[in-house]
Amino acid sequence: KTLSTPTNTDKWTYNTWLKRSETGDASAIFNMLSDASNDNSIFFQDNDTIRMYNHTSGSVNAELITNRVFRDISAWYMFTIIFDSGNSTAGNRWRLFVNGVEETSFSSDVQPSQNTDSHNLNGNTLNIGVINDSYDFFNGYYAQSCFIDGQALTPDSFSEFDEDSGILKPIDVSGLTFGTNGFLLDYEDSAN
């Protein structure tokens, strides 16, 4: 998607459900970029950890790399990624939730400086399942992907625990405010 003028360059949420088909290979979850030196990327590394970074003018100014590995190819994962660089609490500016639980153990934990712009910018490209339109293609399945421009939403905006089974499940998100660059992809047909 080619982005237009954002609701907020310092605040967004991306939520998606995905299931991997292979491990041990770098594969993209989400990417926003203007060029190779300026992008936000979230992807599985070839060691099956997750790396998230904000890259500006050739330098990484925010980065999270999980200690946890993600190797269960039979499981669906729900990922909630929050970029909120305007937050006064440094540890809440770049956050990752997996299946509704916040990841807190990282081999690299570099939070963005307050009010650092992300790459949710007019004319930039937003990619799902690929980096820079050309590499680290995701091999697997996606379900209900939401991008919320201008809000930092927690996982309970997108999911709930089933009262009978206790299993996390998606909820109807059509009533959310998506913002200028926001969207909902439900993947029900070729138009969506």
Side-chain angles (χ1 to χ4, degrees):
K1 174 178 178 159
T2 300
L3 302 174
S4 59
T5 302
T7 302
N8 190 326
T9 59
D10 298 344
K11 188 180 295 189
W12 51 261
T13 306
Y14 178 66
N15 188 87
T16 196
W17 294 75
L18 58 82
K19 181 179 180 182
R20 302 183 77 189
S21 294
E22 67 180 6
T23 60
D25 192 23
S27 59
I29 298 171
F30 175 85
N31 168 255
M32 285 188 291
L33 78 152
S34 59
D35 57 47
S37 297
N38 296 280
D39 70 315
N40 292 108
S41 292
I42 298 118
F43 61 98
F44 294 100
Q45 299 191 104
D46 57 12
N47 67 358
D48 300 314
T49 60
I50 292 176
R51 181 176 184 217
M52 303 170 29
Y53 66 83
N54 191 60
H55 192 225
T56 303
S57 299
S59 297
V60 173
N61 55 22
E63 176 182 62
L64 296 177
I65 301 174
T66 64
N67 283 314
R68 179 180 173 187
V69 295
F70 299 86
R71 294 187 173 132
D72 187 348
I73 60 172
S74 67
W76 280 92
Y77 295 102
M78 184 188 79
F79 288 94
T80 308
I81 295 120
I82 302 168
F83 189 91
D84 185 12
S85 68
N87 197 305
S88 60
T89 303
N92 289 337
R93 294 180 190 152
W94 192 226
R95 300 168 75 187
L96 170 64
F97 292 79
V98 180
N99 296 336
V101 178
E102 187 166 9
E103 290 290 312
T104 58
S105 178
F106 300 101
S107 61
S108 177
D109 186 350
V110 179
Q111 292 287 331
S113 299
Q114 193 164 22
N115 301 316
T116 295
D117 286 344
S118 75
H119 296 285
N120 177 22
L121 301 170
N122 187 38
N124 285 1
T125 303
L126 188 149
N127 300 290
I128 295 175
V130 64
I131 303 250
N132 196 20
D133 295 327
S134 61
Y135 64 94
D136 291 343
F137 291 92
F138 180 76
N139 189 350
Y141 303 90
Y142 275 92
Q144 190 174 286
S145 297
C146 300
F147 182 68
I148 307 294
D149 178 8
Q151 297 179 72
L153 300 181
T154 57
D156 59 358
S157 295
F158 309 97
S159 63
E160 66 185 9
F161 287 96
D162 184 86
E163 60 186 49
D164 296 324
S165 68
I167 296 173
L168 191 68
K169 64 180 184 179
I171 60 173
D172 180 6
V173 295
S174 60
L176 294 175
T177 301
F178 291 88
T180 305
N181 286 322
F183 57 81
L184 165 61
L185 298 175
D186 61 19
Y187 306 106
E188 288 183 358
D189 56 51
S190 62
N192 197 355

